[in-house]
Amino acid sequence: MWSEYLWQRATNDNEKVMFRFYGMLANEYKPVYLILTNKELVFEKYGKQGCAIIPALFSSQEQKDCDEMVKKFIITLQKSKYRFLPLYKFLRDDSGFEGFFPFFAVFPRINAGAVIKEEYDDFQNFSEFILEQCREFGLTPFLTKSQECGLNHLKKETYFANPLPTTYSELMRRTLSGEIMLLPKFAM
């Protein structure tokens, strides 16, 4: 069933991405598999002026330290005026550790909160912001002005997105912060 697929409870702390990176205790679900159709919808709606895809992989050996850096980066994105889609890749390292590692697709579309508005920032301003933040956090972005190029970059890999909101207050909090969420039967 589709609902079983969307609502898979996390079985360990690494899978509880909403708590790990956002401090939300109520949402204990795993990230949701991002199908090609969802990728296309996101880029059709938000990626018309390009995007930045940013892997938030930090070189620190301790997962706790890495998670803290990701939290700080998320706060930076939330405070920016841009819309962003949190992504995850499921990775397994040589030691046997496996888990969800964050990536972000950031778009130059202005975050108008709950207001439906199609307003984009100048790509030069957007790219300067992304490059400055990535320098500060030691990250390497993939920047493109092409909607098709950005989508093709995401098509190459398997990604997961944040789980669906479990409460109305979580939905509003995430919407107002600029997060793009995948909501079944609803407009994004």
Side-chain angles (χ1 to χ4, degrees), residues 7 24-27 29 163-175 181 183:
W7 299 103
M24 294 182 186
L25 296 171
N27 193 331
Y29 293 97
L164 304 174
T166 57
T167 64
Y168 182 72
S169 63
E170 179 186 347
L171 172 68
M172 291 309 298
R173 179 178 166 192
R174 289 168 64 182
T175 299
M181 290 171 282
L183 303 173

Side-chain angles (χ1 to χ4, degrees), residues 153-170:
H153 189 77
L154 283 187
K155 283 181 180 179
K156 294 177 188 175
E157 302 285 339
T158 300
Y159 287 100
F160 296 82
N162 273 345
L164 304 174
T166 57
T167 64
Y168 182 72
S169 63
E170 179 186 347

Side-chain angles (χ1 to χ4, degrees), residues 84-137:
F84 66 98
L85 174 65
L87 299 168
Y88 303 91
K89 285 182 74 174
F90 186 80
L91 301 174
R92 187 174 291 128
D93 68 14
D94 295 337
S95 70
F97 176 79
E98 58 184 35
F100 290 98
F101 294 89
F103 282 66
F104 298 92
V106 186
F107 301 92
R109 184 156 173 188
I110 304 295
N111 176 23
V115 178
I116 298 173
K117 211 175 184 182
E118 191 168 326
E119 184 179 335
Y120 291 89
D121 194 11
D122 176 66
F123 192 81
Q124 183 66 32
N125 293 339
F126 172 72
S127 62
E128 287 173 8
F129 170 79
I130 294 297
L131 292 172
E132 178 183 325
Q133 296 309 312
C134 286
R135 248 189 318 276
E136 184 177 319
F137 284 93

Side-chain angles (χ1 to χ4, degrees), residues 15 17 43 77 84 148 158 165:
E15 294 178 343
V17 294
F43 273 83
L77 290 177
F84 66 98
E148 191 61 34
T158 300

